[in-house]
């Protein structure tokens, strides 16, 4: 992957992270039911993680000579009204994010240590999000 293609791929993930931040924050506000408070707290924490992912992506895009996008990927803004829908939507979104970041990771030379490790760090976080959401679905 040359730098221009890599910058485009990272900007696509940045627009997705923007949407994830909004989606998790909105779902946190909407969640109801017996576990609402605990689930809302965790969704807000995940929203904050997605803010940090966006920050890391901006740094890597700038390092490659690109311009970080302010776009929000509309297709990732998925409303939900029930806990079941919230968990289902976000589990699908995390699976999609892990797949996309892994595709990028597989094109980054390991010698580009900062970008390689940044992709690994973000994938690790998304895998944690996925495991936690799946655990909530089982217990909920
Ligand atoms: Fe993320
Ligand atoms: Fe995530």
């Amino acid at each position: 992957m040359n730098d221009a293609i890599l910058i485009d791929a990272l900007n696509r993930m940045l627009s997705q992270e923007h949407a994830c931040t909004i989606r998790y924050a909105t779902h946190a506000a909407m969640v109801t039911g017996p576990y609402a408070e605990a689930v809302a707290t965790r969704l807000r924490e995940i929203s904050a993680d997605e803010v940090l992912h966006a920050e890391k992506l901006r740094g890597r895009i700038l390092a490659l000579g690109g311009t970080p996008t302010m776009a929000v990927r509309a297709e990732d803004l998925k409303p939900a009204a029930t806990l079941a829908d919230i968990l289902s939507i976000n589990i699908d979104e995390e699976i999609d994010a892990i797949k996309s970041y892994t595709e990028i990771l597989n094109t980054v030379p390991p010698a580009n240590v900062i970008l390689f490790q940044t992709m690994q760090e973000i994938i690790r976080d998304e895998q944690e999000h996925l495991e936690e959401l799946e655990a909530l679905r089982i217990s909920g």
Side-chain angles (χ1 to χ4, degrees):
M1 220 185 253
N2 66 35
D3 283 0
I5 295 172
L6 198 46
I7 289 165
D8 283 351
L10 294 175
N11 261 326
R12 183 187 165 283
M13 296 316 296
L14 179 54
S15 68
Q16 184 166 343
E17 293 289 358
H18 290 153
C20 292
T21 301
I22 295 168
R23 192 186 64 250
Y24 275 111
T26 306
H27 287 176
M30 298 288 293
V31 69
T32 56
Y35 309 104
E37 209 171 297
V39 174
T41 297
R42 189 54 198 133
L43 294 175
R44 273 187 227 107
E45 288 169 355
I46 296 179
S47 180
D49 286 346
E50 312 300 10
V51 171
L52 296 176
H53 295 167
E55 195 57 36
K56 287 180 176 180
L57 289 170
R58 284 184 206 106
R60 290 305 90 211
I61 290 163
L62 285 164
L64 288 164
T67 304
T69 186
M70 284 198 268
V72 178
R73 198 162 168 250
E75 65 194 86
D76 297 309
L77 297 173
K78 296 174 184 163
T82 67
L83 179 56
D85 282 352
I86 288 171
L87 295 176
S88 164
I89 286 167
N90 289 297
I91 284 169
D92 286 351
E93 285 279 331
E94 294 293 349
I95 289 169
D96 178 67
I98 291 164
K99 183 167 168 279
S100 298
Y101 279 120
T102 303
E103 281 170 12
I104 296 172
L105 177 68
N106 287 338
T107 71
V108 176
N112 189 341
V113 173
I114 299 178
L115 182 56
F116 195 83
Q117 289 188 352
T118 300
M119 292 298 99
Q120 287 185 321
E121 288 162 12
I122 296 177
I123 291 167
R124 184 198 161 89
D125 284 350
E126 309 299 19
Q127 287 178 344
E128 283 181 358
H129 296 164
L130 178 59
E131 286 187 2
E132 287 166 3
L133 294 167
E134 284 174 338
L136 283 171
R137 182 151 72 175
I138 292 160
S139 63

